[in-house]
Amino acid sequence: MSETISFDDFLKVDIRTGTVIEARPFPEARKPAIILIIDFGPEIGVKKSSAQVTVHYAPEQLVGRQVMAVVNFPPRQIGPLRSEVLTLGFEDEAGAIVLAAIDKPVPNGRRLM
């Protein structure tokens, strides 16, 4: 477990919902990945993310899916892609990433509380 943080520390991490509007393979990545284009609604807009989720997901399975992502980290250059948000998931027992899930639809751009 990590060190204890304050609620104010938690609020600094801006986690929002978005809908994947495009997903395609990312063959230039060092580790197998998929490029996600995610719509976070009018306030945040459309952002790109590289997600190492190829064990459990194919690109066509991700389009239309709501995901959660940290939207206030600085962008990261991953090969030729500028990843603008960090899409969230959990490691399964084998270390493959399973996307964090939202069990009922919510508007894009809503903040995790």
Side-chain angles (χ1 to χ4, degrees):
M1 192 162 93
S2 298
E3 68 180 85
T4 300
I5 64 170
S6 71
F7 188 72
D8 287 338
D9 290 333
F10 168 73
L11 290 177
K12 291 177 185 176
V13 181
D14 194 355
I15 300 171
R16 303 287 183 121
T17 59
T19 300
V20 177
I21 58 173
E22 184 181 337
R24 60 182 183 269
F26 188 14
E28 300 90 353
R30 282 194 324 243
K31 294 182 180 178
I34 297 173
I35 295 172
L36 303 176
I37 310 300
I38 307 168
D39 180 2
F40 289 98
E43 181 185 341
I44 298 167
V46 175
K47 302 289 183 182
K48 294 179 190 171
S49 181
S50 171
Q52 296 174 359
V53 296
T54 58
V55 171
H56 293 295
Y57 308 96
E60 58 273 9
Q61 294 173 302
L62 296 170
V63 175
R65 181 186 179 107
Q66 273 201 310
V67 296
M68 291 182 271
V70 176
V71 299
N72 65 333
F73 284 150
R76 241 177 110 187
Q77 195 69 38
I78 301 174
L81 177 76
R82 184 174 166 93
S83 186
E84 301 170 296
V85 299
L86 176 64
T87 305
L88 300 176
F90 298 93
E91 286 186 335
D92 67 12
E93 50 286 328
I97 302 299
V98 176
L99 289 170
I102 301 165
D103 71 351
K104 299 211 183 313
V106 296
N108 289 336
R110 291 294 162 99
R111 186 174 181 151
L112 178 70
M113 302 305 286

